[in-house]
Amino acid sequence: MSPDYAVVIPTVGRASLSVVLDALEHGSGPPPREVIVVDDRRDPGPLPPTHGARVLRSGGRGPAAARNVGWRAACCEWVAFLDDDVVPPHDWKKQLAADLEAADLDVGASQARITVPLPQDRPPTDWERGTAGLADAKWITADMAYRRAALVHAGGFDERFPRAYREDAELALRVQEHGYRIVRGSRRTTHPVRESDFFASLRQQRGNADDALMRRLLGEGWRARIGGHPGRLRRHAVTTAAFGVTVLLGLFRSRLALVTGAVWAGLTAKFALERITPGPKTPDEVVRMVVTSVAIPPAACAHRLRGELRHRAVRP
């Protein structure tokens, strides 16, 4: 007997949505009871052909809210979440069905194995290396099937997370606290590296505000609980403080400004080299790394402070 499942795809209108929908329409395997596309743009526009999928709106509140809109509208035993920029294989439905049929009753979710294709003729850029980290990340919803009962018990995604960052790990911890297990299935899905612009890594620092919410919800040990790597925030704070003190001492024409300025320059250079060394070292990449390595520390600190202030009343 085929598993009873729906597919929910939050989207911001990317053209790549058509690749996901085509795989669901024409791929082999037991079909879902329904496919739900949740348009999360504030001003929804045209979408690629949806092949009969139900289209809902979530008002631009972020992927957590969009997924909540989708799974709450689905009435199936399982809800499979797919991002709108992944590439499911032709037999994705067959692979998913095998994973769901193998799930014991205490399994609340089945995570796919994510493949991130990287260039073979050169070292990956900083942006490409960041995307490659998805292959080893825990509980990401690029391709994640949840038992609907587990979502109900946990209350769904926390909509205070406005970006595709941390909201999936935080939900997974709550699901496991309700006694469910999360397993890694055998299905594989490709997550291509999206194109990025010059300041993409700088915009990513907005995630520091979400880290503040994670700390409020889970305590100081939250990063270890999700299997995350140590962050750079403390070093960014020292770098930013050194720059601020240098500017202040410079206004008073103090020679100590040379010392603090050297500290700032050394920390900034170290950060830039850490990002440049494993990369392709092309002129464009080097310039991008140098410029953004100057801007990232104060941006990271500013976003973290914003998050701490915004979520100061949150309790575990």
Side-chain angles (χ1 to χ4, degrees):
M1 188 173 175
S2 299
D4 179 36
Y5 74 99
V7 177
V8 172
I9 311 167
T11 185
V12 289
R14 295 188 184 105
S16 56
L17 173 64
S18 62
V19 175
V20 184
L21 294 173
D22 285 346
L24 295 175
E25 176 72 12
H26 304 296
S28 61
R33 188 193 298 188
E34 66 175 334
V35 177
I36 300 174
V37 173
V38 185
D39 192 333
D40 192 46
R41 293 173 290 182
R42 292 185 183 277
D43 299 308
L47 289 172
T50 55
H51 299 297
R54 181 154 52 130
V55 178
L56 304 176
R57 317 289 185 190
S58 53
R61 294 180 289 133
R67 294 191 194 103
N68 281 342
V69 168
W71 76 259
R72 287 171 179 154
C75 296
C76 301
E77 181 182 2
W78 289 92
V79 179
F81 296 103
L82 288 174
D83 282 354
D84 69 351
D85 56 352
V86 299
V87 181
H90 180 76
D91 62 345
W92 180 84
K93 292 182 291 187
K94 180 179 178 181
Q95 293 185 37
L96 174 67
D99 285 343
L100 300 186
E101 289 169 353
D104 295 330
L105 291 177
D106 66 337
V107 171
S110 169
Q111 179 181 348
R113 299 175 187 272
I114 301 297
T115 300
V116 180
L118 295 176
Q120 300 298 310
D121 58 342
R122 59 165 175 79
T125 64
D126 179 73
W127 178 257
E128 290 166 343
R129 293 193 304 275
T131 304
L134 296 176
D136 300 318
K138 285 186 176 182
W139 313 316
I140 61 170
T141 43
D143 181 345
M144 183 72 140
Y146 269 101
R147 199 181 291 274
R148 194 178 189 280
L151 292 170
V152 171
H153 290 152
F157 293 87
D158 189 330
E159 297 182 10
R160 288 172 294 186
F161 291 94
R163 284 166 286 277
Y165 188 71
R166 305 300 191 203
E167 85 295 349
D168 42 16
E170 193 276 334
L171 170 63
L173 289 175
R174 280 188 284 118
V175 165
Q176 291 172 94
E177 287 172 355
H178 280 81
Y180 291 99
R181 290 190 297 124
I182 296 179
V183 300
R184 194 176 289 270
S186 60
R187 68 191 185 280
R188 289 191 174 273
T189 295
T190 299
H191 193 303
V193 179
R194 295 201 307 266
E195 291 186 6
S196 66
D197 59 34
F198 192 93
F199 291 107
S201 60
L202 184 61
R203 287 195 302 275
Q204 281 189 310
Q205 303 312 308
R206 294 179 295 183
N208 283 280
D210 304 314
D211 285 350
L213 178 55
M214 289 290 280
R215 188 185 71 81
R216 292 283 182 177
L217 291 171
L218 304 174
E220 294 296 340
W222 67 269
R223 199 179 292 272
R225 292 182 62 185
I226 66 171
H229 300 293
R232 286 193 171 112
L233 186 64
R234 290 184 179 178
R235 203 168 81 184
H236 288 338
V238 173
T239 304
T240 303
F243 177 77
V245 172
T246 299
V247 172
L248 184 62
L249 292 174
L251 293 175
F252 290 96
R253 298 183 180 180
S254 170
R255 292 183 179 180
L256 288 175
L258 297 176
V259 177
T260 56
V263 171
W264 169 80
L267 290 172
T268 302
K270 184 175 186 294
F271 181 39
L273 283 173
E274 289 172 349
R275 302 172 70 207
I276 293 170
T277 301
K281 302 181 184 65
T282 60
D284 288 347
E285 177 73 358
V286 170
V287 170
R288 181 185 301 201
M289 293 300 97
V290 170
V291 172
T292 55
S293 293
V294 172
I296 281 175
C301 293
H303 286 299
R304 182 56 180 264
L305 179 60
R306 176 174 60 84
E308 293 289 352
L309 292 174
R310 173 178 294 178
H311 304 300
R312 62 186 180 278
V314 173
R315 295 292 178 266

